[in-house]
């Protein structure tokens, strides 16, 4: 999973290379996001609203959402974390082990997680086998207007997500609404995809403020430029305690 810069283009760095070879550095970046805890609170509220015993995540990456679900889902029984990158899933597994060591949840919870290397549109899961499908900052790459097969990918992904979902289950998708910007907005390359989610698939959405807070200016500059591009550096704001903020916004789409 990933956030994108606020521009017409998504692929500032080579994301395939990052996900295969720089998972740990990517993990350092996303650990700094959600300063106001709006993502954490929205996900916690969602998980408390009804029983979600079996969860599948598409594009699980290094486990950002996975680890929150392990903390907040009261009736979790099974979690399948899917990603096309085995390297990202190895980092996810390491993060879950660290969480257990740090006391965020116990080994019983951790053992509920199964990692599977798989693309969004070909999931090795049985029909009607999960209560909740999650996908954070990931479907955008297949459905961006910059992707040559974007017109075909969203129907394939949605069909697969619906196939594995039990009747009455939910699909929740997060995508960027801009990083290093003053206000949330759909990126131009994602407009067709977002419109389809809302108009064809009837997702409702909420806007979350998910600013990054970096421990120091060096970390802020190096990680921000590495992933989002040089232009976001102008939006970095150093605080009196030495930490540095970078504004970021996220959309959360829910289909029920």
């Amino acid at each position: 999973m990933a956030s994108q810069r606020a521009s017409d283009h998504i692929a500032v760095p080579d994301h395939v290379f990052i996900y295969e070879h720089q998972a740990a550095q990517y993990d350092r970046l996303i650990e700094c996001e959600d300063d106001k805890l709006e993502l954490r609170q929205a996900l916690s509220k969602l998980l408390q609203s009804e029983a979600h015993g079996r969860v599948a995540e598409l594009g699980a990456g290094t486990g950002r959402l996975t680890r929150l679900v392990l903390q907040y889902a009261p009736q979790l029984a099974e979690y399948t974390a899917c990603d096309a990158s085995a390297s990202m899933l190895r980092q996810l597994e390491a993060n879950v082990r660290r969480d257990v060591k740090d006391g965020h949840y116990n080994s019983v919870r951790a053992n509920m997680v199964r990692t599977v290397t798989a693309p969004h549109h070909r999931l090795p899961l049985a029909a009607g086998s999960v209560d909740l499908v999650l996908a954070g900052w990931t479907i955008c790459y297949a459905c961006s207007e910059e992707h040559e097969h974007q017109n075909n990918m969203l129907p394939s992904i949605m069909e697969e997500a619906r196939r594995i979902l039990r009747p009455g289950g939910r699909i929740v998708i997060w995508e960027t609404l801009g990083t290093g910007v003053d206000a949330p907005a759909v990126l131009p390359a994602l407009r067709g995809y977002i419109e389809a989610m809302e108009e064809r698939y009837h997702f409702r959405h909420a806007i979350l403020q998910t600013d990054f807070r970096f421990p120091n200016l060096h970390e802020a500059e190096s990680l921000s430029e590495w992933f989002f591009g040089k232009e976001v550096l102008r939006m970095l704001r150093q605080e009196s305690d030495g930490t540095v903020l970078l504004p970021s916004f996220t959309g959360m789409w829910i289909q029920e």
Side-chain angles (χ1 to χ4, degrees), residues 11 17 96 125 131 145 150 158 222 226-227 232 245 247 254:
F17 181 85
V96 169
L125 295 169
D131 307 305
E145 292 179 8
Q150 62 97 12
M158 290 302 301
S222 61
W226 167 72
F227 197 79
V232 304
L245 284 178
I254 302 175

Side-chain angles (χ1 to χ4, degrees), residues 127-176:
S129 62
V130 301
D131 307 305
L132 178 66
V133 175
L134 307 177
W137 305 271
T138 185
I139 296 176
C140 57
Y141 291 109
C143 297
S144 162
E145 292 179 8
E146 296 174 350
H147 193 290
E148 60 178 331
H149 300 300
Q150 62 97 12
N151 289 329
N152 299 322
M153 289 306 299
L154 185 59
S156 298
I157 293 169
M158 290 302 301
E159 180 179 352
E160 187 69 342
R162 287 170 163 177
R163 181 188 66 79
I164 67 172
L165 195 67
R166 66 161 172 80
R170 293 193 281 188
I171 301 172
V172 186
I173 297 171
W174 291 263
E175 297 292 3
T176 185

Side-chain angles (χ1 to χ4, degrees), residues 63-160:
R64 179 183 188 182
L65 294 176
T66 308
R67 297 159 68 196
L68 291 176
V69 174
L70 287 174
Q71 291 183 56
Y72 295 121
Q75 299 184 45
L76 185 67
E78 181 181 290
Y79 197 102
T80 304
C82 304
D83 200 283
S85 168
S87 176
M88 296 290 269
L89 292 176
R90 285 193 294 271
Q91 184 66 49
L92 181 155
E93 291 166 350
N95 287 343
V96 169
R97 290 194 297 270
R98 187 180 72 229
D99 282 351
V100 172
K101 184 177 179 180
D102 292 343
H104 295 304
Y105 39 82
N106 59 32
S107 59
V108 174
R109 280 247 146 181
N111 289 336
M112 294 176 183
V113 178
R114 175 175 68 112
T115 57
V116 177
T117 305
H120 305 334
H121 61 293
R122 290 196 302 272
L123 303 172
L125 295 169
S129 62
V130 301
D131 307 305
L132 178 66
V133 175
L134 307 177
W137 305 271
T138 185
I139 296 176
C140 57
Y141 291 109
C143 297
S144 162
E145 292 179 8
E146 296 174 350
H147 193 290
E148 60 178 331
H149 300 300
Q150 62 97 12
N151 289 329
N152 299 322
M153 289 306 299
L154 185 59
S156 298
I157 293 169
M158 290 302 301
E159 180 179 352
E160 187 69 342

Side-chain angles (χ1 to χ4, degrees), residues 159-207:
E159 180 179 352
E160 187 69 342
R162 287 170 163 177
R163 181 188 66 79
I164 67 172
L165 195 67
R166 66 161 172 80
R170 293 193 281 188
I171 301 172
V172 186
I173 297 171
W174 291 263
E175 297 292 3
T176 185
L177 291 175
T179 296
V181 295
D182 294 314
V186 175
L187 303 189
L190 300 183
R191 284 175 185 158
Y193 158 45
I194 299 302
E195 287 175 2
M197 275 209 296
E198 295 180 351
E199 297 173 10
R200 187 188 314 166
Y201 297 106
H202 308 295
F203 281 79
R204 57 182 175 85
H205 84 278
I207 296 173

